[in-house]
PDB file of all heavy atoms in Angstrom:
ATOM      1  N   ILE A  16      36.119  59.702 124.132  1.00 95.00           N
ATOM      2  CA  ILE A  16      37.028  60.793 124.505  1.00 95.00           C
ATOM      3  C   ILE A  16      38.012  61.069 123.355  1.00 95.00           C
ATOM      4  O   ILE A  16      38.254  62.229 122.971  1.00 95.00           O
ATOM      5  CB  ILE A  16      37.889  60.377 125.743  1.00 95.00           C
ATOM      6  CG1 ILE A  16      37.012  60.551 127.007  1.00 95.00           C
ATOM      7  CG2 ILE A  16      39.096  61.290 125.874  1.00 95.00           C
ATOM      8  CD1 ILE A  16      37.711  60.190 128.250  1.00 95.00           C
ATOM      9  N   ILE A  38      36.540  69.501 131.132  1.00 94.00           N
ATOM     10  CA  ILE A  38      36.170  68.204 131.698  1.00 94.00           C
ATOM     11  C   ILE A  38      35.449  68.470 133.016  1.00 94.00           C
ATOM     12  O   ILE A  38      36.099  69.043 133.887  1.00 94.00           O
ATOM     13  CB  ILE A  38      37.384  67.293 131.914  1.00 94.00           C
ATOM     14  CG1 ILE A  38      38.184  67.249 130.561  1.00 94.00           C
ATOM     15  CG2 ILE A  38      36.908  65.916 132.321  1.00 94.00           C
ATOM     16  CD1 ILE A  38      39.552  66.598 130.775  1.00 94.00           C
ATOM     17  N   SER A  39      34.220  68.170 133.097  1.00 91.00           N
ATOM     18  CA  SER A  39      33.493  68.413 134.382  1.00 91.00           C
ATOM     19  C   SER A  39      32.816  67.185 134.825  1.00 91.00           C
ATOM     20  O   SER A  39      32.756  66.161 134.204  1.00 91.00           O
ATOM     21  CB  SER A  39      32.472  69.561 134.128  1.00 91.00           C
ATOM     22  OG  SER A  39      31.603  69.188 133.140  1.00 91.00           O
ATOM     23  N   GLY A  40      32.479  67.243 136.111  1.00 91.00           N
ATOM     24  CA  GLY A  40      31.861  66.080 136.817  1.00 91.00           C
ATOM     25  C   GLY A  40      32.165  66.122 138.246  1.00 91.00           C
ATOM     26  O   GLY A  40      33.059  66.854 138.706  1.00 91.00           O
ATOM     27  N   GLU A  41      31.467  65.304 138.982  1.00 90.00           N
ATOM     28  CA  GLU A  41      31.657  65.280 140.434  1.00 90.00           C
ATOM     29  C   GLU A  41      33.045  64.715 140.775  1.00 90.00           C
ATOM     30  O   GLU A  41      33.721  64.121 139.938  1.00 90.00           O
ATOM     31  CB  GLU A  41      30.585  64.379 141.079  1.00 90.00           C
ATOM     32  CG  GLU A  41      29.199  64.982 141.014  1.00 90.00           C
ATOM     33  CD  GLU A  41      28.224  64.060 141.710  1.00 90.00           C
ATOM     34  OE1 GLU A  41      28.631  63.264 142.581  1.00 90.00           O
ATOM     35  OE2 GLU A  41      27.034  64.210 141.416  1.00 90.00           O
ATOM     36  N   SER A  42      33.389  64.877 141.989  1.00 90.00           N
ATOM     37  CA  SER A  42      34.652  64.338 142.467  1.00 90.00           C
ATOM     38  C   SER A  42      34.629  62.819 142.284  1.00 90.00           C
ATOM     39  O   SER A  42      33.702  62.177 142.642  1.00 90.00           O
ATOM     40  CB  SER A  42      34.880  64.664 143.902  1.00 90.00           C
ATOM     41  OG  SER A  42      36.046  64.082 144.404  1.00 90.00           O
ATOM     42  N   GLY A  43      35.620  62.283 141.672  1.00 92.00           N
ATOM     43  CA  GLY A  43      35.737  60.844 141.422  1.00 92.00           C
ATOM     44  C   GLY A  43      34.974  60.352 140.224  1.00 92.00           C
ATOM     45  O   GLY A  43      34.880  59.203 139.995  1.00 92.00           O
ATOM     46  N   ALA A  44      34.475  61.299 139.406  1.00 93.00           N
ATOM     47  CA  ALA A  44      33.716  60.823 138.290  1.00 93.00           C
ATOM     48  C   ALA A  44      34.628  60.414 137.119  1.00 93.00           C
ATOM     49  O   ALA A  44      34.167  59.704 136.207  1.00 93.00           O
ATOM     50  CB  ALA A  44      32.795  61.984 137.780  1.00 93.00           C
ATOM     51  N   GLY A  45      35.856  60.852 137.146  1.00 94.00           N
ATOM     52  CA  GLY A  45      36.790  60.418 136.109  1.00 94.00           C
ATOM     53  C   GLY A  45      37.407  61.550 135.286  1.00 94.00           C
ATOM     54  O   GLY A  45      37.960  61.306 134.209  1.00 94.00           O
ATOM     55  N   LYS A  46      37.365  62.793 135.850  1.00 95.00           N
ATOM     56  CA  LYS A  46      37.942  63.934 135.089  1.00 95.00           C
ATOM     57  C   LYS A  46      39.492  63.740 134.862  1.00 95.00           C
ATOM     58  O   LYS A  46      39.910  63.911 133.684  1.00 95.00           O
ATOM     59  CB  LYS A  46      37.645  65.224 135.803  1.00 95.00           C
ATOM     60  CG  LYS A  46      36.211  65.519 136.081  1.00 95.00           C
ATOM     61  CD  LYS A  46      36.042  66.840 136.801  1.00 95.00           C
ATOM     62  CE  LYS A  46      36.522  66.763 138.221  1.00 95.00           C
ATOM     63  NZ  LYS A  46      35.860  65.792 139.098  1.00 95.00           N
ATOM     64  N   THR A  47      40.122  63.451 135.936  1.00 95.00           N
ATOM     65  CA  THR A  47      41.636  63.386 135.798  1.00 95.00           C
ATOM     66  C   THR A  47      41.995  62.253 134.869  1.00 95.00           C
ATOM     67  O   THR A  47      42.868  62.448 134.052  1.00 95.00           O
ATOM     68  CB  THR A  47      42.173  63.204 137.203  1.00 95.00           C
ATOM     69  OG1 THR A  47      41.811  64.278 138.008  1.00 95.00           O
ATOM     70  CG2 THR A  47      43.713  63.182 137.179  1.00 95.00           C
ATOM     71  N   GLU A  48      41.270  61.165 134.993  1.00 95.00           N
ATOM     72  CA  GLU A  48      41.615  59.971 134.074  1.00 95.00           C
ATOM     73  C   GLU A  48      41.326  60.426 132.652  1.00 95.00           C
ATOM     74  O   GLU A  48      42.140  60.147 131.767  1.00 95.00           O
ATOM     75  CB  GLU A  48      40.713  58.787 134.456  1.00 95.00           C
ATOM     76  CG  GLU A  48      41.034  58.215 135.765  1.00 95.00           C
ATOM     77  CD  GLU A  48      42.435  57.682 135.924  1.00 95.00           C
ATOM     78  OE1 GLU A  48      42.881  57.125 134.921  1.00 95.00           O
ATOM     79  OE2 GLU A  48      43.022  57.844 136.981  1.00 95.00           O
ATOM     80  N   ALA A  49      40.214  61.133 132.427  1.00 96.00           N
ATOM     81  CA  ALA A  49      39.936  61.617 131.097  1.00 96.00           C
ATOM     82  C   ALA A  49      41.018  62.478 130.519  1.00 96.00           C
ATOM     83  O   ALA A  49      41.428  62.373 129.341  1.00 96.00           O
ATOM     84  CB  ALA A  49      38.541  62.247 131.071  1.00 96.00           C
ATOM     85  N   SER A  50      41.439  63.391 131.377  1.00 95.00           N
ATOM     86  CA  SER A  50      42.475  64.347 130.887  1.00 95.00           C
ATOM     87  C   SER A  50      43.781  63.629 130.512  1.00 95.00           C
ATOM     88  O   SER A  50      44.418  63.933 129.581  1.00 95.00           O
ATOM     89  CB  SER A  50      42.681  65.425 131.931  1.00 95.00           C
ATOM     90  OG  SER A  50      43.638  65.016 132.863  1.00 95.00           O
ATOM     91  N   LYS A  51      44.064  62.571 131.339  1.00 95.00           N
ATOM     92  CA  LYS A  51      45.301  61.837 131.018  1.00 95.00           C
ATOM     93  C   LYS A  51      45.109  61.035 129.685  1.00 95.00           C
ATOM     94  O   LYS A  51      46.061  60.960 128.892  1.00 95.00           O
ATOM     95  CB  LYS A  51      45.533  60.848 132.196  1.00 95.00           C
ATOM     96  CG  LYS A  51      46.182  61.581 133.343  1.00 95.00           C
ATOM     97  CD  LYS A  51      46.748  60.636 134.387  1.00 95.00           C
ATOM     98  CE  LYS A  51      45.764  60.203 135.431  1.00 95.00           C
ATOM     99  NZ  LYS A  51      46.345  59.538 136.518  1.00 95.00           N
ATOM    100  N   LYS A  52      43.910  60.588 129.427  1.00 96.00           N
ATOM    101  CA  LYS A  52      43.655  59.826 128.178  1.00 96.00           C
ATOM    102  C   LYS A  52      43.835  60.744 127.015  1.00 96.00           C
ATOM    103  O   LYS A  52      44.387  60.402 125.997  1.00 96.00           O
ATOM    104  CB  LYS A  52      42.249  59.246 128.137  1.00 96.00           C
ATOM    105  CG  LYS A  52      42.074  58.106 129.083  1.00 96.00           C
ATOM    106  CD  LYS A  52      42.325  56.807 128.357  1.00 96.00           C
ATOM    107  CE  LYS A  52      42.351  55.567 129.248  1.00 96.00           C
ATOM    108  NZ  LYS A  52      43.555  55.449 130.027  1.00 96.00           N
ATOM    109  N   GLU A  82      50.438  64.947 140.544  1.00 96.00           N
ATOM    110  CA  GLU A  82      49.480  64.197 141.265  1.00 96.00           C
ATOM    111  C   GLU A  82      50.016  63.739 142.630  1.00 96.00           C
ATOM    112  O   GLU A  82      49.305  63.750 143.645  1.00 96.00           O
ATOM    113  CB  GLU A  82      49.069  62.887 140.471  1.00 96.00           C
ATOM    114  CG  GLU A  82      48.066  63.273 139.405  1.00 96.00           C
ATOM    115  CD  GLU A  82      47.449  62.059 138.693  1.00 96.00           C
ATOM    116  OE1 GLU A  82      47.618  60.921 139.227  1.00 96.00           O
ATOM    117  OE2 GLU A  82      46.777  62.225 137.685  1.00 96.00           O
ATOM    118  N   ASN A  86      47.424  65.522 144.747  1.00 96.00           N
ATOM    119  CA  ASN A  86      46.272  64.647 144.866  1.00 96.00           C
ATOM    120  C   ASN A  86      46.319  63.861 146.179  1.00 96.00           C
ATOM    121  O   ASN A  86      47.414  63.676 146.754  1.00 96.00           O
ATOM    122  CB  ASN A  86      46.275  63.607 143.750  1.00 96.00           C
ATOM    123  CG  ASN A  86      45.868  64.237 142.406  1.00 96.00           C
ATOM    124  OD1 ASN A  86      45.965  65.437 142.227  1.00 96.00           O
ATOM    125  ND2 ASN A  86      45.345  63.422 141.494  1.00 96.00           N
ATOM    126  N   ARG A  91      35.608  60.315 148.419  1.00 89.00           N
ATOM    127  CA  ARG A  91      34.977  60.161 147.178  1.00 89.00           C
ATOM    128  C   ARG A  91      35.915  59.574 146.117  1.00 89.00           C
ATOM    129  O   ARG A  91      35.434  59.022 145.099  1.00 89.00           O
ATOM    130  CB  ARG A  91      34.432  61.507 146.635  1.00 89.00           C
ATOM    131  CG  ARG A  91      33.859  62.387 147.639  1.00 89.00           C
ATOM    132  CD  ARG A  91      32.725  63.209 147.035  1.00 89.00           C
ATOM    133  NE  ARG A  91      31.514  63.017 147.862  1.00 89.00           N
ATOM    134  CZ  ARG A  91      30.454  62.360 147.471  1.00 89.00           C
ATOM    135  NH1 ARG A  91      30.419  61.851 146.280  1.00 89.00           N
ATOM    136  NH2 ARG A  91      29.430  62.272 148.257  1.00 89.00           N
ATOM    137  N   ASN A  92      37.187  59.774 146.250  1.00 92.00           N
ATOM    138  CA  ASN A  92      38.128  59.365 145.216  1.00 92.00           C
ATOM    139  C   ASN A  92      39.486  59.078 145.807  1.00 92.00           C
ATOM    140  O   ASN A  92      39.950  59.877 146.595  1.00 92.00           O
ATOM    141  CB  ASN A  92      38.222  60.505 144.208  1.00 92.00           C
ATOM    142  CG  ASN A  92      39.132  60.196 143.063  1.00 92.00           C
ATOM    143  OD1 ASN A  92      39.783  59.198 143.037  1.00 92.00           O
ATOM    144  ND2 ASN A  92      39.199  61.109 142.117  1.00 92.00           N
ATOM    145  N   ASP A  93      39.995  57.937 145.518  1.00 93.00           N
ATOM    146  CA  ASP A  93      41.343  57.594 146.093  1.00 93.00           C
ATOM    147  C   ASP A  93      42.456  58.446 145.522  1.00 93.00           C
ATOM    148  O   ASP A  93      43.532  58.471 146.067  1.00 93.00           O
ATOM    149  CB  ASP A  93      41.621  56.132 145.904  1.00 93.00           C
ATOM    150  CG  ASP A  93      40.748  55.215 146.813  1.00 93.00           C
ATOM    151  OD1 ASP A  93      40.030  55.827 147.676  1.00 93.00           O
ATOM    152  OD2 ASP A  93      40.692  54.057 146.591  1.00 93.00           O
ATOM    153  N   ASN A  94      42.171  59.069 144.411  1.00 94.00           N
ATOM    154  CA  ASN A  94      43.189  59.897 143.775  1.00 94.00           C
ATOM    155  C   ASN A  94      42.535  61.200 143.418  1.00 94.00           C
ATOM    156  O   ASN A  94      42.510  61.656 142.281  1.00 94.00           O
ATOM    157  CB  ASN A  94      43.737  59.228 142.524  1.00 94.00           C
ATOM    158  CG  ASN A  94      44.804  60.017 141.892  1.00 94.00           C
ATOM    159  OD1 ASN A  94      45.611  60.727 142.556  1.00 94.00           O
ATOM    160  ND2 ASN A  94      44.921  60.018 140.591  1.00 94.00           N
ATOM    161  N   SER A  95      42.007  61.869 144.490  1.00 94.00           N
ATOM    162  CA  SER A  95      41.268  63.157 144.220  1.00 94.00           C
ATOM    163  C   SER A  95      42.204  64.280 144.009  1.00 94.00           C
ATOM    164  O   SER A  95      43.128  64.514 144.803  1.00 94.00           O
ATOM    165  CB  SER A  95      40.357  63.334 145.435  1.00 94.00           C
ATOM    166  OG  SER A  95      39.603  64.535 145.190  1.00 94.00           O
ATOM    167  N   SER A  96      41.980  65.033 142.955  1.00 94.00           N
ATOM    168  CA  SER A  96      42.777  66.219 142.731  1.00 94.00           C
ATOM    169  C   SER A  96      42.352  67.280 143.762  1.00 94.00           C
ATOM    170  O   SER A  96      41.215  67.640 143.889  1.00 94.00           O
ATOM    171  CB  SER A  96      42.470  66.808 141.342  1.00 94.00           C
ATOM    172  OG  SER A  96      42.398  65.765 140.369  1.00 94.00           O
ATOM    173  N   ASP A 316      41.132  70.369 134.014  1.00 93.00           N
ATOM    174  CA  ASP A 316      40.759  69.291 134.907  1.00 93.00           C
ATOM    175  C   ASP A 316      40.831  69.871 136.322  1.00 93.00           C
ATOM    176  O   ASP A 316      41.873  70.134 136.855  1.00 93.00           O
ATOM    177  CB  ASP A 316      41.772  68.166 134.798  1.00 93.00           C
ATOM    178  CG  ASP A 316      41.676  67.122 135.932  1.00 93.00           C
ATOM    179  OD1 ASP A 316      40.500  66.968 136.452  1.00 93.00           O
ATOM    180  OD2 ASP A 316      42.663  66.521 136.267  1.00 93.00           O
ATOM    181  N   ILE A 317      39.684  70.043 136.871  1.00 90.00           N
ATOM    182  CA  ILE A 317      39.649  70.797 138.098  1.00 90.00           C
ATOM    183  C   ILE A 317      38.900  69.922 139.089  1.00 90.00           C
ATOM    184  O   ILE A 317      38.266  68.940 138.746  1.00 90.00           O
ATOM    185  CB  ILE A 317      38.965  72.204 137.876  1.00 90.00           C
ATOM    186  CG1 ILE A 317      39.613  73.225 138.791  1.00 90.00           C
ATOM    187  CG2 ILE A 317      37.470  72.102 137.920  1.00 90.00           C
ATOM    188  CD1 ILE A 317      39.544  74.650 138.195  1.00 90.00           C
ATOM    189  N   TYR A 318      39.111  70.234 140.385  1.00 90.00           N
ATOM    190  CA  TYR A 318      38.375  69.444 141.432  1.00 90.00           C
ATOM    191  C   TYR A 318      36.884  69.445 141.177  1.00 90.00           C
ATOM    192  O   TYR A 318      36.287  70.490 140.860  1.00 90.00           O
ATOM    193  CB  TYR A 318      38.671  69.933 142.818  1.00 90.00           C
ATOM    194  CG  TYR A 318      39.260  71.342 142.857  1.00 90.00           C
ATOM    195  CD1 TYR A 318      38.670  72.432 142.295  1.00 90.00           C
ATOM    196  CD2 TYR A 318      40.465  71.496 143.577  1.00 90.00           C
ATOM    197  CE1 TYR A 318      39.228  73.614 142.357  1.00 90.00           C
ATOM    198  CE2 TYR A 318      41.037  72.765 143.628  1.00 90.00           C
ATOM    199  CZ  TYR A 318      40.428  73.860 143.081  1.00 90.00           C
ATOM    200  OH  TYR A 318      40.975  75.055 143.105  1.00 90.00           O
ATOM    201  N   GLY A 319      36.275  68.275 141.347  1.00 88.00           N
ATOM    202  CA  GLY A 319      34.856  68.203 141.071  1.00 88.00           C
ATOM    203  C   GLY A 319      33.978  68.517 142.286  1.00 88.00           C
ATOM    204  O   GLY A 319      34.479  68.619 143.368  1.00 88.00           O
ATOM    205  N   CYS A 520      31.747  64.026 132.861  1.00 94.00           N
ATOM    206  CA  CYS A 520      31.950  62.700 133.519  1.00 94.00           C
ATOM    207  C   CYS A 520      30.814  62.423 134.465  1.00 94.00           C
ATOM    208  O   CYS A 520      30.363  63.297 135.211  1.00 94.00           O
ATOM    209  CB  CYS A 520      33.257  62.745 134.317  1.00 94.00           C
ATOM    210  SG  CYS A 520      34.672  63.009 133.251  1.00 94.00           S
ATOM    211  N   LYS A 527      32.984  53.743 144.720  1.00 89.00           N
ATOM    212  CA  LYS A 527      34.225  53.597 143.973  1.00 89.00           C
ATOM    213  C   LYS A 527      34.269  52.130 143.467  1.00 89.00           C
ATOM    214  O   LYS A 527      35.374  51.468 143.449  1.00 89.00           O
ATOM    215  CB  LYS A 527      35.489  53.746 144.882  1.00 89.00           C
ATOM    216  CG  LYS A 527      35.536  55.153 145.560  1.00 89.00           C
ATOM    217  CD  LYS A 527      36.819  55.207 146.447  1.00 89.00           C
ATOM    218  CE  LYS A 527      36.789  56.470 147.260  1.00 89.00           C
ATOM    219  NZ  LYS A 527      37.860  56.426 148.252  1.00 89.00           N
ATOM    220  N   PRO A 529      33.663  49.100 140.617  1.00 90.00           N
ATOM    221  CA  PRO A 529      33.633  48.967 139.115  1.00 90.00           C
ATOM    222  C   PRO A 529      32.354  48.272 138.697  1.00 90.00           C
ATOM    223  O   PRO A 529      31.811  47.489 139.405  1.00 90.00           O
ATOM    224  CB  PRO A 529      34.812  48.071 138.831  1.00 90.00           C
ATOM    225  CG  PRO A 529      35.122  47.316 140.055  1.00 90.00           C
ATOM    226  CD  PRO A 529      34.578  48.148 141.193  1.00 90.00           C
TER     227      PRO A 529
HETATM  228  N1  ADP B   1      36.503  55.616 132.581  1.00 88.80           N
HETATM  229  C1  ADP B   1      36.731  55.029 133.750  1.00 88.80           C
HETATM  230  N2  ADP B   1      36.548  53.675 133.853  1.00 88.80           N
HETATM  231  C2  ADP B   1      36.769  53.063 135.006  1.00 88.80           C
HETATM  232  N3  ADP B   1      37.243  53.669 136.102  1.00 88.80           N
HETATM  233  C3  ADP B   1      37.433  55.000 136.062  1.00 88.80           C
HETATM  234  C4  ADP B   1      37.145  55.731 134.943  1.00 88.80           C
HETATM  235  N4  ADP B   1      37.467  57.009 135.157  1.00 88.80           N
HETATM  236  C5  ADP B   1      37.870  57.010 136.404  1.00 88.80           C
HETATM  237  N5  ADP B   1      37.852  55.870 137.033  1.00 88.80           N
HETATM  238  C6  ADP B   1      38.193  55.493 138.375  1.00 88.80           C
HETATM  239  O1  ADP B   1      37.772  56.529 139.190  1.00 88.80           O
HETATM  240  C7  ADP B   1      38.827  57.061 139.948  1.00 88.80           C
HETATM  241  C8  ADP B   1      38.655  58.515 140.029  1.00 88.80           C
HETATM  242  O2  ADP B   1      38.839  59.119 138.831  1.00 88.80           O
HETATM  243  P1  ADP B   1      39.454  60.542 138.712  1.00 88.80           P
HETATM  244  O3  ADP B   1      39.617  60.836 137.280  1.00 88.80           O
HETATM  245  O4  ADP B   1      40.550  60.726 139.577  1.00 88.80           O
HETATM  246  O5  ADP B   1      38.232  61.426 139.165  1.00 88.80           O
HETATM  247  P2  ADP B   1      38.133  63.019 139.256  1.00 88.80           P
HETATM  248  O6  ADP B   1      39.374  63.559 138.714  1.00 88.80           O
HETATM  249  O7  ADP B   1      36.911  63.359 138.457  1.00 88.80           O
HETATM  250  O8  ADP B   1      37.910  63.324 140.670  1.00 88.80           O
HETATM  251  C9  ADP B   1      40.149  56.664 139.114  1.00 88.80           C
HETATM  252  O9  ADP B   1      41.162  56.500 140.125  1.00 88.80           O
HETATM  253  C10 ADP B   1      39.665  55.323 138.585  1.00 88.80           C
HETATM  254  O10 ADP B   1      39.900  54.281 139.434  1.00 88.80           O
END
Side-chain angles (χ1 to χ4, degrees):
I16 284 181
I38 309 169
S39 57
E41 292 183 18
S42 176
K46 301 182 292 299
T47 303
E48 294 298 321
S50 83
K51 284 193 269 189
K52 286 270 172 283
E82 284 191 9
N86 287 21
R91 319 215 127 248
N92 181 354
D93 289 350
N94 181 34
S95 179
S96 317
D316 166 31
I317 213 151
Y318 14 55
C520 298
K527 302 178 188 171

